Amino acid sequence: MPLPPALFLSLALLCLPAAVPAEAPGAAEAPPPALRMVLVEPGFFLMGDDAGGPDQKPAHRVAITRTLLVADRKVTVAEYAAFCAAAGRPKPASRWEDDAAMPAIGVDWRDAVAYCNWLSERDGLKPCYSGSGHAIRCDFNADGYRLPTEAEWEWAARGGRLSKGYSYAGSDDPLAVAWFDENSGGRMHPAGGLAPNELGLFDFSGNLYEWCWDYYSRDAYAEAAPADPSGPAMLPKATPRGPERVRRAGSWRENRESVRISFRARDNENYPGDNGFRLFRTLSPAR
């Protein structure tokens, strides 16, 4: 049953990180804006597309049983730069590195995981990730920030319980909701320039790829659990550059097919590429 508006607002306010004090006059960088996260309730949906590529089949019914909080946009350059400064890490090399509102590009999967744990600790939340290398584990019931499972990503992209069954995140017209090769002008764009999806979430189609938790498998859908699937349980055969993780959304340089909600892609977890990420949190554990 949908939450009353007053309770929804209270939850949303509780989930915002503490305000960052203003920097002294003359500081080099302004603090990143407050993170806005949207409530996404549990439910059922048809994941995949029988008319899509081989790895999008079969379309199958999936239950998402956790109540989620989902960032309305991808992690930005300003937000990721704060992590790099605090952790003593170099910023990713990018021609957009000085545009604070752009999605943070050139982030590999392991660095995205490290960012999630850093932000969880900063905000007094329980980190989701433990271990290192190929032994990284995720506690999906912890309240900290994390990457979504592929199924959680698609549930949120489709609009959750508010879904109208669009092919792209918020519309059947990709030009209305997605930055891709026909309208991007050959570059990324800050979030908010195009319409959001049914939940008020931006850029789930296009602009920049987003990492998911799952290892990539072409046959994942045929083997998926019916509730809260999280990808192959065992490490698939690695490519020469290492194991591959799922990435979703497409990007500013992709075509219409690649920014469809059901489109699946992958990349090596230690390869930054045209990759960014979006923050998810578990508000209520799996039932």
Side-chain angles (χ1 to χ4, degrees):
M1 182 174 65
L3 294 175
L7 179 55
F8 173 83
L9 178 60
S10 298
L11 288 170
L13 291 173
L14 284 172
C15 297
L16 292 176
V20 180
E23 295 186 10
E29 296 183 8
L35 175 63
R36 178 175 179 265
M37 302 197 82
V38 174
L39 184 75
V40 180
E41 296 180 279
F44 299 87
F45 73 110
L46 197 63
M47 184 173 182
D49 185 352
D50 285 331
D55 65 352
Q56 299 173 40
K57 304 173 183 177
H60 56 293
R61 190 171 186 258
V62 170
I64 300 297
T65 70
R66 302 180 184 96
T67 301
L68 303 169
L69 291 164
V70 179
D72 72 336
R73 53 184 163 70
K74 308 173 201 285
V75 171
T76 65
V77 167
E79 291 165 335
Y80 197 77
F83 161 64
C84 291
R89 291 170 173 251
K91 295 180 183 179
S94 166
R95 58 185 179 276
W96 292 286
E97 63 185 0
D98 295 325
D99 193 334
M102 288 289 184
I105 186 175
V107 180
D108 72 30
W109 185 89
R110 294 183 188 180
D111 283 343
V113 163
Y115 178 94
C116 290
N117 271 2
W118 168 80
L119 192 64
S120 296
E121 292 171 352
R122 192 200 72 176
D123 292 349
L125 303 172
K126 180 181 178 182
C128 295
Y129 298 106
S130 59
S132 60
H134 298 326
I136 291 175
R137 297 176 297 278
C138 182
D139 178 357
F140 292 103
N141 290 329
D143 65 354
Y145 300 100
R146 60 177 176 83
L147 302 177
T149 65
E150 187 176 12
E152 290 170 340
W153 186 96
E154 189 164 325
W155 172 239
R158 291 188 181 278
R161 292 187 183 182
L162 302 181
S163 177
K164 296 181 180 178
Y166 295 130
S167 296
Y168 305 92
S171 179
D172 281 328
D173 176 10
L175 294 169
V177 296
W179 296 115
F180 64 115
D181 64 357
E182 293 180 30
N183 66 350
S184 69
R187 60 173 288 134
M188 290 193 305
H189 294 260
L194 297 175
N197 75 352
E198 298 92 321
L199 289 164
L201 303 169
F202 296 94
D203 291 343
F204 264 98
S205 287
N207 214 18
L208 180 64
Y209 277 109
E210 300 179 17
W211 287 115
C212 294
W213 161 261
D214 310 37
Y215 286 118
Y216 174 82
S217 168
R218 175 173 171 166
D219 302 319
Y221 287 4
E223 304 164 352
D228 302 313
S230 57
M234 298 180 65
L235 177 70
K237 182 179 179 180
T239 68
R241 292 193 300 182
E244 294 179 322
R245 299 279 181 168
V246 172
R247 58 179 190 160
R248 290 295 208 105
S251 79
W252 81 97
R253 45 167 120 225
E254 306 289 343
N255 60 25
R256 286 178 176 238
E257 177 62 26
S258 300
V259 298
R260 292 172 65 91
I261 293 172
S262 62
F263 185 80
R264 304 179 70 215
R266 78 265 197 191
D267 215 338
N268 301 99
E269 65 179 34
N270 59 351
Y271 179 67
D274 290 342
N275 299 313
F277 62 108
R278 184 187 303 261
L279 299 173
F280 278 55
R281 286 182 58 200
T282 298
L283 185 58
S284 297
R287 298 172 183 172

